[in-house]
Amino acid sequence: MPDLPDDAPGDAERPARPSAPGPTRSGRPHPETDAERRRRRAQFLRDLAEARALRARVQPRRAKVARLRHAMRMRTFRW
């Protein structure tokens, strides 16, 4: 999904994202903390789940086939 500007319509319920970590004024990149990484990962996983749900609603037949295929893979997987 393309990145939308922070002031995009429909973004009112989401807090504005902080800018991506990059070089500071001194020129050295500031190290990313574990909390920041977990927060970015959680946001990514929420967006991914939202995109998958949208795709399932838009393409129900393909989503059903994918669901059945996944179920078959899980049944035949050997532990």
Side-chain angles (χ1 to χ4, degrees), residues 24-43:
T24 58
R25 289 185 190 266
S26 65
R28 289 179 294 177
H30 97 288
E32 184 180 41
T33 64
D34 283 344
E36 289 172 339
R37 188 186 66 79
R38 283 194 303 270
R39 199 172 8 263
R40 281 191 317 108
R41 183 174 188 272
Q43 181 63 45

Side-chain angles (χ1 to χ4, degrees), residues 38-50:
R38 283 194 303 270
R39 199 172 8 263
R40 281 191 317 108
R41 183 174 188 272
Q43 181 63 45
F44 169 77
L45 292 175
R46 279 192 300 271
D47 290 345
L48 184 62
E50 181 183 345

Side-chain angles (χ1 to χ4, degrees), residues 13-76:
E13 69 277 354
R14 284 190 189 162
R17 288 181 286 174
S19 62
T24 58
R25 289 185 190 266
S26 65
R28 289 179 294 177
H30 97 288
E32 184 180 41
T33 64
D34 283 344
E36 289 172 339
R37 188 186 66 79
R38 283 194 303 270
R39 199 172 8 263
R40 281 191 317 108
R41 183 174 188 272
Q43 181 63 45
F44 169 77
L45 292 175
R46 279 192 300 271
D47 290 345
L48 184 62
E50 181 183 345
R52 284 183 174 155
L54 176 64
R55 193 164 106 194
R57 281 196 313 270
V58 172
Q59 301 174 340
R61 184 176 296 150
R62 189 175 295 175
K64 180 181 178 184
V65 170
R67 214 172 31 253
L68 293 173
R69 193 174 297 129
H70 178 72
M72 181 63 73
R73 265 198 319 270
M74 296 316 284
R75 277 195 300 261
T76 58

